[in-house]
Amino acid sequence: MPRLSALRSSVDLWAGLAGGIFAPVASFGFGLPLWASLPGAVLIFVGTRLAFAPRGLFEELDGKALDGKTLDAAGLDLAREVLTAAQVDLARLRAAAHAVREPSARRDLDHLHTVAARVIGEVERTPRRLSSVRRLLTYYLPAAVRLGEGYGVLEGANRPDHARLDAAGALIGRLDTVFARHADRLSAPEIEGLDVELKLLADAIRTEERSSPDMSTESRPAPEPSPWR
């Protein structure tokens, strides 16, 4: 990725400058011998590079085991490609939202940004979930960016077309529902698991109540009448 390569080159440059400056400063400024300042310069270079070097998406993953499930190299590459483009769109959406003057449209665009940022963060943690929100990130997010930027252009016209502004604002509001629905798909597996757990627990309690007389409803004392009736 060109952007990532440029960032790494910039970090290497600054790390080299930091290491290069350390040696003469340590030798002439603090009187350290050369045999001590040179290793120190190397450590400064390595430490600076490790601290500030940008990391690509999923660099720490080997594609073998992710969240207990298998993800092949092709799936990992697809997730990386989609998220890289989505992060650019996310930044554009934020800029478009800040450029909009109308309060409700700006608020809606900010909320779309919040939802998209949460989805991107979740897919970064578990890239195998990309399939459930791929359409959100590849279609609706870019569409929201174009709509937000277009709204700003309409607002900045010498003679704003209020009908178009109203139509664009209504579409931004409808996108909020679409974003929420697609984002909720990320939690669908957990909800399905919860449904199964609730059913099993209800069955277990029902069986326990039938087998244990002291837990049955017939053996429980009737509640006393309320004095407030």
Side-chain angles (χ1 to χ4, degrees):
M1 299 175 190
R3 184 183 178 188
L4 189 58
S5 299
L7 287 173
R8 284 173 174 163
S9 299
S10 177
V11 170
D12 288 342
L13 176 61
W14 287 105
L17 287 175
I21 292 174
F22 175 82
V25 169
S27 297
F28 299 107
F30 298 97
L32 290 178
L34 192 61
W35 61 265
S37 61
L38 287 179
V42 174
L43 290 176
I44 292 294
F45 170 78
V46 174
T48 303
R49 192 174 185 276
L50 290 176
F52 296 100
R55 302 185 66 181
L57 286 171
F58 317 132
E59 274 190 354
E60 73 280 6
L61 304 177
D62 59 5
K64 294 180 180 179
L66 290 171
D67 197 23
K69 294 191 177 181
T70 300
L71 188 69
D72 58 17
L76 203 59
D77 288 340
L78 175 62
R80 184 181 293 111
E81 178 183 349
V82 170
L83 287 183
T84 300
Q87 288 170 343
V88 175
D89 288 334
L90 191 67
R92 290 177 59 190
L93 181 60
R94 184 176 184 85
H98 287 181
V100 167
R101 297 191 299 271
E102 206 283 320
S104 62
R106 180 171 183 166
R107 183 173 58 252
D108 289 342
L109 288 170
D110 275 332
H111 188 250
L112 294 180
H113 177 275
T114 300
V115 174
R118 186 166 61 246
V119 168
I120 290 173
E122 182 62 31
V123 177
E124 285 180 346
R125 288 187 292 272
T126 54
R128 65 179 178 80
R129 295 190 176 187
L130 173 66
S131 59
S132 61
V133 290
R134 183 177 176 182
R135 183 167 176 78
L136 172 63
L137 298 180
T138 60
Y139 179 73
Y140 287 113
L141 177 57
V145 171
R146 293 191 297 269
L147 191 57
E149 292 175 345
Y151 194 98
V153 171
L154 290 173
E155 273 191 330
N158 292 323
R159 298 179 62 184
D161 188 331
H162 295 288
R164 286 184 175 178
L165 280 171
D166 291 343
L171 277 178
I172 292 173
R174 292 172 65 184
L175 272 178
D176 186 79
T177 302
V178 174
F179 269 51
R181 183 166 59 247
H182 280 263
D184 286 343
R185 294 177 181 175
L186 286 174
S187 57
E190 285 78 5
I191 293 176
E192 292 174 359
L194 179 60
D195 289 340
V196 173
E197 182 66 26
L198 290 174
K199 184 179 183 303
L200 293 175
L201 183 59
D203 290 342
I205 293 175
R206 192 178 301 112
T207 302
E208 187 73 23
E209 289 175 344
R210 289 173 180 174
S211 62
S212 180
D214 59 336
M215 293 186 64
S216 64
T217 55
E218 291 80 3
S219 63
R220 295 173 185 170
E224 296 182 0
S226 173
W228 301 104
R229 292 182 180 176

